[in-house]
Amino acid sequence: MMSPLIRIVFCMKVPVGLTDASSCLETLPKCARLLERTSAGEYPTTTRSDRFIAAWGHPTMKQNRFIPNQLPLRIREAPHKRGEVLVYDALLEQLNHKQRDWVMVYSANWMAKRHRNEPPRIGETDFLLAHPEHGLVIVEVKGGQIEFEGEQWYSRDKGGRRHEIDPFQQVGRNAYELCWKFEQMKRWDGGSEKDKYARWVIFPESVTPRNAVFPPYYDQAMVTDLDGMPNIVDELLKACRFWYGGSWQHPAAPHACDLLIDLFGKPRTFTLPLAETAKEDSARIEKLTDSQFAVIAAISRCPRAAIAGGAGSGKTWLARKRAVQLADEGFKVLLMCKSIPLAVHLEQTTDRHDQLTICSYKDLLRRLDPDSEQISDDEYAWTLASFISDHPELAFDAVFVDEGQDFNKEEWPFVESLLGTEKAGIFYVFYDDNQQLSNRDTELPANLVPVQLEDNVRTTRAIHKDMSRFYKGNQEQRPQGPPGRHVEQANSEGNLPKKVREVISDLLKAERFQESDIVVLTPLETTLSTLSDLSLADGRSLRVAPEPNGKDVLLASVKDFKGLEKPVVVVGELDQLPTDEAERRRILYAALSRAKSHLILIDLPKNEFA
């Protein structure tokens, strides 16, 4: 039988210059190194010869990094994105075949502030590429037929419409704005030297007009057209050589790729406990749906937005992700909500950051002024706004409000005052647009760009089916989770404490959940609940505030648990639901939507799901 090493040699195409057996034998040490790297998982285990040829000349190089690693379908199907898709596919294929150590970011968007009282400046570019030796490249793509007439550039789309363009000024402006962003992050030596950034313009669907006149600061080496697309990597390297000469000597070169990954592609993970029996449903790699990708793209270039979605649409996850990202970029950020339990949860599950404050609205004044006295609800908003006015240095660059439907119209001006007297910062409101959550419509501040989340990415499809009965929002939610178990209904037969003990015992012993995976919810205040401090098996109890890593199980009111989640939710005392129909539906919607993997309803009235 042929050895693995010999099989690798024979499955390769013979590289240029290896024409006889002795030459081939000389390559065996190199093949051995390749085999070692393949066994370690550094290269994919495949017999495709082109993969080995790509690796042949770069046995010690890393893989390229593409952000995102694939384009969403909505991008590929958008007619006005055709040119960008062509460039993305060409770069991805040819870089993987010819080069290593590149980072490529598609549709890079950023915000930067030069001065405290100025609004954030928005920057964006079609592509950013970085390589530790070749340099940083800012790319502007113009699709369609390119024309030049009377000192003006035009792009003609498939419908025959002609649009004025100025790709050279645009890519130069992007370079200027990007240098401010890097300077704000304080991680880019020489970041203010915008001439250190290579600029590259691509016309992927058209040849360059023969009569074109380039700006005096531009050169043909900075432009690639349809004829250059089959060799786009060679064109990229030509642009790098034009700007940087033989090699990139910028002080930031060694960490340029890491900086782009941190800014545009670093995953933010927040650890949540998972039950053993729910791992198939929950332990999937957390990735953005097309809907969430659109939201991230939208708000990254919009300083004021209102993001709406039902329970499970990922509002809190997105708010925290973007807040942490802006804090990493040097912004002073506030993430707040009205719910104290939700604020505590967010703070406990997010790494501490000097630039990020996470707290409830009522706790904010004490955070800013530890010596402040207890203030009544009627005076709180005025006192908070006055304090920020007297201490403008404590104002925030960005304010994120989660569960925005809990705020009323009169409170918003005071919330916005947290951005300082000019209100020139970044302001995002995330809210549940379920019209059945309140007797009043959610009234938001003016001039917020509306953004809609359409997917339920948290719960199983089985849970989504039942909770959606109580949802009436701007957009019907699409379930994206796994099928999951059916929603379980149990009858206490008049002895609720006994039934709760049995249910929790079964979850812990037979189903092998952990105590921290479970919450028991009640529509009542916990002080009025018959389940408060209920003794369970093996010395456990139901507690409103169980010790971390302890044996007790959490008991919470539906109201206090709003915005939070657990793998398993048990809902009891449903015979105590209010008689008002609208209020009953609000409570059931909030209760059912807290479960990620399994939901158990005890004593649910028969007509509730009718």
Side-chain angles (χ1 to χ4, degrees):
M1 184 175 67
M2 190 179 296
S3 71
L5 179 58
I6 299 301
R7 284 203 302 272
I8 285 182
V9 173
F10 277 89
C11 77
M12 288 181 175
K13 297 177 182 177
V14 178
V16 176
L18 298 183
T19 57
D20 53 45
S22 61
S23 298
C24 287
L25 289 174
E26 290 174 4
T27 68
L28 289 179
K30 191 172 188 178
C31 291
R33 291 196 300 272
L34 180 59
L35 177 61
E36 291 174 2
R37 295 170 69 80
T38 302
S39 301
E42 192 163 340
Y43 292 126
T45 304
T46 176
T47 59
R48 286 186 59 189
S49 59
D50 59 331
R51 291 288 182 87
F52 286 102
I53 290 295
W56 177 270
H58 310 282
T60 61
M61 285 189 177
K62 302 176 183 177
Q63 296 294 315
N64 297 315
R65 175 74 182 269
F66 302 96
I67 304 171
N69 58 11
Q70 60 181 351
L71 292 181
L73 187 61
R74 64 175 187 83
I75 296 291
R76 292 192 171 277
E77 293 182 343
H80 66 287
K81 297 288 187 181
R82 174 175 164 77
E84 296 171 13
V85 173
L86 291 172
V87 172
Y88 178 95
D89 289 343
L91 283 170
L92 185 145
E93 179 182 0
Q94 294 186 37
L95 282 174
N96 275 340
H97 188 71
K98 298 180 178 181
Q99 293 278 311
R100 290 294 183 270
D101 290 333
W102 281 95
V103 171
M104 181 180 83
V105 180
Y106 168 66
S107 189
N109 302 281
W110 63 88
M111 285 187 284
K113 291 192 73 169
R114 299 186 191 180
H115 305 291
R116 191 61 180 273
N117 293 326
E118 287 186 1
R121 299 177 66 91
I122 310 301
E124 59 181 332
T125 189
D126 294 327
F127 290 89
L128 276 176
L129 293 113
H131 190 279
E133 295 178 6
H134 298 303
L136 179 72
V137 186
I138 300 168
V139 185
E140 186 63 31
V141 177
K142 293 300 180 186
Q145 181 65 35
I146 303 301
E147 302 171 359
F148 185 83
E149 181 181 321
E151 299 184 358
Q152 175 62 54
W153 290 84
Y154 297 92
S155 172
R156 190 180 296 274
D157 61 29
K158 298 298 182 182
R161 294 177 295 271
R162 197 160 81 158
H163 311 274
E164 289 188 3
I165 60 173
D166 192 345
F168 307 102
Q169 183 181 20
Q170 191 171 353
V171 73
R173 182 171 61 249
N174 293 339
Y176 185 74
E177 296 296 343
L178 188 62
C179 83
W180 278 103
K181 182 63 190 177
F182 288 158
E183 188 175 79
Q184 180 185 16
M185 294 178 71
K186 303 185 187 304
R187 293 176 55 191
W188 188 265
D189 298 330
S192 61
E193 302 176 35
K194 58 180 180 297
D195 60 316
K196 295 296 185 182
Y197 306 145
R199 282 157 269 178
W200 187 26
V201 173
I202 306 177
F203 303 139
E205 299 179 273
S206 175
V207 295
T208 306
R210 292 185 177 181
N211 65 333
V213 177
F214 293 96
Y217 51 86
Y218 244 78
D219 184 272
Q220 184 64 40
M222 301 163 62
V223 181
T224 295
D225 61 11
L226 177 63
D227 291 339
M229 288 294 289
N231 300 296
I232 194 169
V233 169
D234 295 336
E235 294 286 303
L236 166 62
L237 297 177
K238 182 173 69 174
C240 290
R241 286 193 296 271
F242 172 81
W243 283 96
Y244 303 120
S247 63
W248 193 31
Q249 300 298 324
H250 194 282
H255 59 262
C257 293
D258 291 337
L259 183 62
L260 289 195
I261 291 172
D262 284 349
L263 184 57
F264 299 108
K266 186 177 181 179
R268 314 284 176 186
T269 57
F270 305 100
T271 303
L272 295 174
L274 297 174
E276 287 299 320
T277 54
K279 281 184 178 178
E280 260 187 57
D281 290 345
S282 300
R284 298 170 297 158
I285 297 175
E286 204 169 37
K287 64 180 181 180
L288 298 180
T289 65
D290 279 4
S291 171
Q292 289 175 308
F293 183 91
V295 170
I296 288 291
I299 66 177
S300 64
R301 54 179 174 262
C302 176
R304 291 177 60 87
I307 299 91
S313 57
K315 298 184 298 296
T316 299
W317 186 86
L318 286 169
R320 181 165 50 174
K321 177 183 176 68
R322 185 62 178 150
V324 172
Q325 186 179 45
L326 286 179
D328 282 346
E329 294 172 17
F331 289 89
K332 184 180 178 183
V333 182
L334 169 66
L335 171 58
M336 72 171 182
C337 56
K338 277 207 168 179
S339 168
I340 295 176
L342 175 57
V344 170
H345 169 77
L346 288 172
E347 191 171 23
Q348 290 177 345
T349 56
T350 305
D351 291 339
R352 293 183 62 85
H353 198 301
D354 292 340
Q355 292 291 97
L356 177 62
T357 299
I358 302 176
C359 66
S360 68
Y361 177 60
K362 286 291 291 183
D363 193 41
L364 179 58
L365 182 58
R366 185 184 61 81
R367 293 287 186 94
L368 297 175
D369 181 16
D371 297 327
S372 62
E373 299 178 354
Q374 189 70 25
I375 300 171
S376 67
D377 291 346
D378 293 337
E379 298 177 339
Y380 181 81
W382 284 102
T383 305
L384 180 60
S386 298
F387 181 80
I388 291 292
S389 178
D390 294 339
H391 302 83
E393 72 281 3
L394 296 179
F396 295 91
D397 299 322
V399 172
F400 289 73
V401 178
D402 195 21
E403 298 291 328
Q405 73 277 0
D406 293 343
F407 289 78
N408 60 49
K409 180 180 179 180
E410 290 74 24
E411 290 173 313
W412 288 120
F414 300 105
V415 173
E416 287 193 84
S417 71
L418 299 172
L419 293 168
T421 55
E422 302 296 328
K423 299 182 181 179
I426 300 166
F427 190 56
Y428 295 140
V429 178
F430 294 78
Y431 71 103
D432 195 319
D433 60 343
N434 187 357
Q435 298 171 11
Q436 303 189 54
L437 282 179
S438 174
N439 292 321
R440 58 176 175 81
D441 291 335
T442 301
E443 297 186 67
L444 301 176
N447 303 321
L448 295 181
V449 175
V451 180
Q452 183 71 42
L453 285 168
E454 301 173 350
D455 298 331
N456 181 334
V457 296
R458 180 176 66 202
T459 65
T460 64
R461 293 173 186 261
I463 295 172
H464 174 84
K465 179 181 177 181
D466 283 340
M467 64 173 266
S468 63
R469 303 169 190 262
F470 306 101
Y471 175 78
K472 183 181 178 183
N474 299 329
Q475 180 77 35
E476 183 178 350
Q477 300 287 289
R478 300 176 302 201
Q480 299 292 342
R485 301 182 182 185
H486 68 279
V487 175
E488 183 179 340
Q489 296 189 36
N491 190 335
S492 71
E493 299 179 351
N495 192 338
L496 180 62
K498 178 182 177 182
K499 190 63 181 179
V500 170
R501 290 190 189 97
E502 292 175 354
V503 167
I504 292 179
S505 177
D506 183 64
L507 289 170
L508 294 173
K509 294 182 178 180
E511 303 289 0
R512 299 193 178 185
F513 282 95
Q514 300 296 314
E515 291 87 351
S516 58
D517 295 335
I518 305 168
V519 64
V520 177
L521 297 181
T522 172
L524 304 174
E525 295 292 338
T526 53
T527 54
L528 302 177
S529 173
T530 59
L531 300 175
S532 185
D533 296 326
L534 177 69
S535 297
L536 305 173
D538 300 324
R540 297 182 178 88
S541 296
L542 271 183
R543 301 285 188 190
V544 174
E547 291 291 329
N549 302 318
K551 296 176 60 177
D552 294 333
V553 176
L554 176 63
L555 172 70
S557 70
V558 174
K559 177 183 176 182
D560 287 343
F561 207 69
K562 188 170 61 172
L564 299 171
E565 61 186 37
K566 286 283 187 181
V568 182
V569 171
V570 180
V571 188
E573 298 184 308
L574 288 171
D575 56 340
Q576 299 296 315
L577 286 168
T579 56
D580 180 73
E581 179 66 18
E583 184 63 20
R584 292 167 70 91
R585 295 181 70 83
R586 283 193 286 272
I587 291 175
L588 286 170
Y589 172 75
L592 271 61
S593 61
R594 300 307 97 204
K596 292 180 62 179
S597 301
H598 192 41
L599 175 64
I600 302 172
L601 306 175
I602 303 177
D603 294 335
L604 179 72
K606 293 182 179 181
N607 61 343
E608 292 298 344
F609 283 172

